[in-house]
Amino acid sequence: MMLGRPSPEIGNHWNRRQLLRTGLAGVAIAGGMAACQRLQTNSTVKIPALPTEAPPTTGMISPLQMLREFDYGTVKQEQGRRIREFRITAGTGVLQLNSVVSFNTWNFNGRVPGPALRARSGDRVRVIFLNHGGHSHSLHFHGVHRAEMDGVRPVRNGNATIYEFDAEPFGVHLYHCHVAPVSRHISKGLYGLFIIDPLQDRPPADELVLIMAGYDLNNDQHNELYAFNGVPNYYMRYPIPIQQDQLVRLYLLNMIEFDVAATFHLHANLFQVYPTGRTLIPREETDVITMGTAERHILEFQYRFPGRYMFHPHQDAIAEAGCMGAFQVVS
């Protein structure tokens, strides 16, 4: 495959027979579950043990496991260039939202939200996308790339395609299905975080991912439930353990459809804001920030005192419908 220009197959749709001929059928055989790595923390960063009583969710991984799990892909060298290859499969599955409500999701790699993909600025990113979702889907990445890599062309069920582009610019981005109606495809679960790290590493920190989203349970374009990382109120029942006096770096994304905006509020503390993750120095300090759909930031903070501290949108109706959580600060 020539770098810098798409191969004849890129941007076209592949069927299963073509996948078998090219050796990519392993994407389907493996269920599209790309190998994920936990954050490779500096030795000075302490990660408290997760609550042992916290259960996984029906058909999905635990939201506590999602917090610190990043998919770095498979790194290859081709023609002297570093290639970071990811494999994403669109599928379906049932997610238990609470004791009485289950939700039929459309998902990436069997989870909602999809895996948090992570690359380094300047990498060549290659995403092998296989659609087993029963409907036409696609992958649209935020960032800078050529038009043919923009992911607006539907990939029919049973087919595959390859997206390839340079990782730029550094910052916090996202990916999602871009097949109409886009709001329905996103609200069904087809979204995830895409982080491009700068060449200069950020200071060591306990790094977490939180994605706000809503659930339209009756297809009336109105959300009845909301959640952080897929499951309403999960982090209220099982607070996120963090270390006292240790820097926390939070990658925060708002993927709530059908609501114009949502805020994020942190109790008993202030956070430094790195807008869209595009800066290496903070632009402001606050305890509440307003975000439109698809807006994202890096927030940094640390807690001086141990105890339990809530976080939630300051639209109380959204918070009380499931978008609430808590940090358990341990000494």
Side-chain angles (χ1 to χ4, degrees):
M1 181 177 297
M2 295 294 293
L3 299 182
R5 64 168 57 181
S7 73
E9 292 85 6
I10 293 179
N12 295 329
H13 306 321
W14 296 1
N15 59 33
R16 182 172 178 82
R17 181 171 297 177
Q18 289 170 308
L19 285 173
L20 288 167
R21 286 204 304 264
T22 57
L24 296 180
V27 182
I29 295 171
M33 295 301 292
C36 292
Q37 304 175 18
R38 288 199 174 277
L39 176 66
Q40 297 174 348
T41 57
N42 184 284
S43 59
T44 60
V45 177
K46 298 180 180 179
I47 307 299
L50 297 178
T52 57
E53 73 276 11
T57 55
T58 302
M60 304 282 175
I61 70 172
S62 164
L64 282 172
Q65 184 181 347
M66 289 184 186
L67 282 169
R68 297 180 173 97
E69 193 168 73
F70 300 92
D71 184 353
Y72 291 91
T74 301
V75 178
K76 306 177 179 181
Q77 293 291 329
E78 294 183 7
Q79 300 179 358
R81 185 76 184 276
R82 183 170 62 191
I83 311 297
R84 196 174 294 272
E85 185 175 284
F86 300 95
R87 297 188 172 194
I88 300 293
T89 297
T92 61
V94 176
L95 180 60
Q96 196 70 34
L97 300 184
N98 56 37
S99 60
V100 296
V101 177
S102 60
F103 186 76
N104 293 318
T105 71
W106 300 347
N107 58 65
F108 291 133
N109 285 7
R111 48 176 282 176
V112 175
L117 308 182
R118 196 158 184 175
R120 175 77 68 176
S121 180
D123 286 348
R124 185 72 166 182
V125 173
R126 181 180 298 154
V127 183
I128 301 169
F129 176 60
L130 178 64
N131 183 12
H132 276 177
H135 303 267
S136 291
H137 295 305
S138 71
L139 281 179
H140 166 66
F141 284 84
H142 287 219
V144 177
H145 44 250
R146 296 156 59 114
E148 55 266 35
M149 296 294 106
D150 203 34
V152 295
R153 293 180 55 196
V155 179
R156 296 178 62 184
N157 181 53
N159 288 359
T161 192
I162 294 178
Y163 304 100
E164 188 165 323
F165 50 87
D166 293 335
E168 59 177 339
F170 80 83
V172 184
H173 305 293
L174 66 144
Y175 62 94
H176 58 86
C177 181
H178 212 291
V179 173
V182 178
S183 58
R184 175 168 170 77
H185 285 242
I186 290 177
S187 65
K188 291 284 285 183
L190 293 171
Y191 58 87
L193 198 65
F194 176 43
I195 300 169
I196 301 178
D197 290 314
L199 293 176
Q200 173 188 346
D201 285 334
R202 300 181 190 273
D206 183 3
E207 296 194 331
L208 306 175
V209 170
L210 284 180
I211 301 179
M212 299 187 289
Y215 289 103
D216 176 11
L217 302 179
N218 54 11
N219 298 322
D220 64 351
Q221 298 190 352
H222 175 78
N223 294 312
E224 284 73 43
L225 292 174
Y226 299 84
F228 285 105
N229 288 354
V231 182
N233 289 318
Y234 193 91
Y235 298 125
M236 284 300 291
R237 297 194 301 273
Y238 309 103
I240 301 168
I242 60 175
Q243 196 75 28
Q244 180 185 5
D245 291 323
Q246 179 171 263
L247 181 66
V248 173
R249 180 171 298 119
L250 176 61
Y251 297 92
L252 178 67
L253 168 64
N254 175 23
M255 286 305 292
I256 299 175
E257 287 286 349
F258 311 124
D259 290 272
V260 175
T263 58
F264 178 84
H265 170 53
L266 186 63
H267 277 216
N269 210 340
L270 299 174
F271 47 76
Q272 304 280 340
V273 181
Y274 299 76
T276 319
R278 290 284 297 120
T279 67
L280 298 178
I281 57 174
R283 293 288 177 85
E284 65 174 303
E285 184 179 54
T286 181
D287 67 352
V288 63
I289 189 167
T290 302
M291 305 169 68
T293 304
E295 195 167 352
R296 62 276 184 193
H297 302 301
I298 292 176
L299 310 182
E300 290 186 348
F301 57 90
Q302 58 188 36
Y303 271 96
R304 293 169 52 193
F305 309 110
R308 183 173 295 189
Y309 301 93
M310 293 175 61
F311 59 84
H312 55 81
H314 230 298
Q315 290 76 21
D316 292 333
I318 294 178
E320 292 166 2
C323 204
M324 298 185 71
F327 291 111
Q328 184 67 48
V329 181
V330 298
S331 59

